[in-house]
């Protein structure tokens, strides 16, 4: 059964939610003096999602939405299980995914979203390497993820495997999401 489509102006208002998720994370990281952590894909993804919704830039919405899935999994594995969670982080990851799936149901997934999401990943990872502190290792842009150092002799090896895994994962997610919620480019 086809979901009832909301008018575009109502969907634009939904952009308030990911913007609030980003603002909550900003306040949290400002309080602990770690604003560099805002550049994690999940955090900046909420901001990009909000901008995409407000200005109805479908490609921005789709790129942000596709990233909510690996973002949630990575957050659970490497943050929640290791250190627990806090409210703004829960909002950014779980809230971002819920809003993303709601919007995706309304707009559908397009082909090549994975490619745009991959390019965005490379750009944000480069930006993370250039402007964030190495000790934060935002988007794994500076060093091997702890626990994986036994499998790789050098960061460049880790980076190549990580980049390939990201590309294949995004491609697979794009295929799966298009099967469930096909876009206009069927």
């Amino acid at each position: 059964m086809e979901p009832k489509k909301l008018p575009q102006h109502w969907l634009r208002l939904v952009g308030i939610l990911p913007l609030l998720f980003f603002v909550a994370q900003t306040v949290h990281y400002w309080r602990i003096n770690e604003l560099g952590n805002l550049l994690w894909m999940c955090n900046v993804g909420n901001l990009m999602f909000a901008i995409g919704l407000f200005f109805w830039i479908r490609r921005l919405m789709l790129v942000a939405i596709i990233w909510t899935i690996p973002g949630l999994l990575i957050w659970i594995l490497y943050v929640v299980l290791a250190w627990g969670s806090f409210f703004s982080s829960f909002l950014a990851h779980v809230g971002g995914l819920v809003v993303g799936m709601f919007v995706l149901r309304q707009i559908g997934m397009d082909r090549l979203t994975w490619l745009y999401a991959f390019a965005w990943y490379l750009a944000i990872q480069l930006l993370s390497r250039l402007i964030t502190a190495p000790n934060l290792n935002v988007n794994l842009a500076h060093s091997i993820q702890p626990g994986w150092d036994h499998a790789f002799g050098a960061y460049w090896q880790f980076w190549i495997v990580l980049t390939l895994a990201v590309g294949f994962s995004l491609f697979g997610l794009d295929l799966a999401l298009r099967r469930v919620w096909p876009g206009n480019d069927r």
Side-chain angles (χ1 to χ4, degrees):
M1 184 162 121
E2 186 73 23
K4 183 179 178 189
K5 302 287 184 183
L6 292 177
Q8 191 181 101
H9 64 277
W10 284 109
L11 280 174
R12 286 178 190 243
L13 286 175
V14 172
I16 293 169
L17 293 171
L19 180 61
L20 289 174
F21 303 157
F22 180 78
V23 168
Q25 284 287 75
T26 302
V27 169
H28 168 75
Y29 287 123
W30 178 71
R31 284 183 178 162
I32 64 171
N33 199 27
E34 289 184 3
L35 283 174
N37 278 317
L38 281 176
L39 212 50
W40 278 100
M41 296 293 284
C42 308
N43 296 325
V44 75
N46 275 304
L47 180 60
M48 184 169 78
F49 191 23
I51 292 168
L53 281 162
F54 291 145
F55 295 102
W56 203 254
I57 305 169
R58 196 163 182 272
R59 185 64 68 193
L60 284 182
M61 290 184 266
L62 292 174
V63 167
I65 290 168
I66 199 171
W67 267 104
T68 63
I69 297 167
L72 178 71
L73 296 174
I74 291 165
W75 174 69
I76 290 170
L77 288 172
Y78 292 102
V79 177
V80 175
L81 294 177
W83 297 303
S85 181
F86 48 91
F87 186 64
S88 67
S89 183
F90 179 84
L91 287 176
H93 294 88
V94 177
L97 178 67
V98 169
V99 174
M101 293 302 106
F102 171 76
V103 169
L104 186 58
R105 185 173 174 209
Q106 299 288 315
I107 67 172
M109 178 61 77
D110 285 348
R111 293 180 202 274
L112 299 181
T113 295
W114 76 273
L115 193 56
Y116 288 93
F118 185 67
W120 181 60
Y121 161 76
L122 293 173
I124 294 296
Q125 194 184 47
L126 177 62
L127 189 60
S128 299
R129 185 164 181 88
L130 294 174
I131 68 171
T132 64
N135 66 310
L136 295 177
N137 202 22
V138 172
N139 297 311
L140 305 178
H142 293 281
S143 60
I144 300 170
Q145 172 70 28
W148 287 94
D149 33 9
H150 68 283
F152 299 96
Y155 175 72
W156 69 267
Q157 295 167 339
F158 172 77
W159 185 85
I160 288 173
V161 171
L162 175 68
T163 301
L164 288 172
V166 165
F168 285 118
S169 297
L170 291 171
F171 180 76
L173 282 170
D174 186 304
L175 284 175
L177 292 171
R178 275 190 288 124
R179 285 183 187 262
V180 178
W181 296 294
N184 298 331
D185 65 347
R186 299 170 205 198

